[in-house]
């Protein structure tokens, strides 16, 4: 990684204002928070990073009550284990980059509830090979609202999905 605001394991990452003023839309190397295992990431404001919060090969993190303003991904989870909780966050993607607000791939399970998410480019949520419980979220994006691929499974209950600009699917 070339820039990380905070990186930790077994920590409470709370009440921080993490900002990046050097916007790098073409790089995956700029993270607000890179989480390790068993963190509680709560009440933070994260601005100007390619990826607000990144989890790779990590165990059971909680992402709650954060305000995330990212260039590419609000939350990016890849090859993670246990159960991750993404709850009551405001997640905004303020560039037209063709990425998702929340991206979860090859992860045991994720609970995603009560989030308010908006993007001016790309898609809403993407799940691949992951068990998902998703409820009470607001998703506004010009692309697909929610997409499940490659044996992703779970429940989608009481969400509001608004797709802009003649998007092809609300849920695929």
């Amino acid at each position: 990684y070339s820039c990380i605001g905070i990186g930790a394991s077994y920590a409470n990452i709370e009440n921080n204002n993490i900002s990046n003023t050097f916007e790098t839309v073409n790089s995956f190397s700029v993270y607000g928070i890179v989480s390790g295992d068993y963190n509680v990431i709560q009440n933070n404001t994260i601005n100007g990073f390619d990826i607000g919060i990144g989890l790779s090969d990590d165990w059971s993190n909680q992402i709650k009550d954060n305000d995330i303003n990212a260039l590419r991904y609000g939350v990016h989870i890849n090859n993670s284990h246990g159960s991750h909780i993404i709850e009551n966050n405001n997640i905004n993607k303020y560039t037209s980059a063709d990425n998702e607000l929340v991206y979860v791939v090859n992860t045991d399970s994720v609970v995603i509830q009560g989030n308010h998410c908006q993007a001016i480019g790309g898609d809403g949520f993407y799940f691949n090979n992951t068990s998902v419980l998703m409820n009470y979220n607001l998703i506004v994006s010009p692309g697909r609202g929610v997409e499940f691929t490659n044996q992703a499974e779970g429940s989608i209950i009481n969400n509001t999905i608004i797709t802009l600009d003649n998007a092809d699917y609300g849920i695929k």
Side-chain angles (χ1 to χ4, degrees):
Y1 309 112
S2 64
C3 178
I4 298 171
I6 295 175
S9 286
Y10 301 94
N12 290 332
I13 303 169
E14 298 182 37
N15 302 316
N16 297 287
N17 186 345
I18 308 163
S19 295
N20 176 35
T21 58
F22 182 71
E23 295 184 358
T24 57
V25 178
N26 295 317
S27 171
F28 287 101
S29 60
V30 180
Y31 293 80
I33 296 175
V34 173
S35 183
D37 301 326
Y38 304 104
N39 288 312
V40 175
I41 302 167
Q42 187 170 346
N43 294 323
N44 298 288
T45 300
I46 302 167
N47 288 307
F49 292 88
D50 289 329
I51 299 171
I53 297 174
L55 309 172
S56 290
D57 302 308
D58 300 326
W59 282 89
S60 299
N61 287 278
Q62 295 179 32
I63 301 169
K64 300 166 89 174
D65 302 311
N66 297 286
D67 188 13
I68 302 167
N69 298 290
L71 285 83
R72 299 184 81 135
Y73 296 98
V75 177
H76 187 279
I77 302 176
N78 189 22
N79 296 320
S80 288
H81 313 284
S83 182
H84 297 278
I85 298 170
I86 303 170
E87 182 176 44
N88 296 330
N89 299 284
N90 290 316
I91 303 172
N92 297 295
K93 186 166 69 84
Y94 59 90
T95 65
S96 59
D98 194 27
N99 305 99
E100 294 81 6
L101 288 157
V102 175
Y103 176 91
V104 183
V105 174
N106 298 325
T107 296
D108 292 342
S109 73
V110 65
V111 175
I112 182 163
Q113 60 190 8
N115 298 285
H116 292 159
C117 304
Q118 186 166 353
I120 62 170
D123 296 324
F125 295 176
Y126 177 77
F127 303 103
N128 179 307
N129 194 30
T130 299
S131 176
V132 178
L133 171 58
M134 179 179 154
N135 56 36
Y136 301 105
N137 297 286
L138 170 62
I139 304 165
V140 179
S141 76
R144 293 182 179 129
V146 179
E147 182 174 357
F148 287 88
T149 61
N150 191 29
Q151 301 185 12
E153 57 89 20
S155 299
I156 304 171
I157 303 167
N158 293 323
N159 296 281
T160 301
I161 301 167
I162 301 170
T163 56
L164 309 170
D165 301 329
N166 299 315
D168 53 354
Y169 295 97
I171 300 174
K172 178 180 178 194

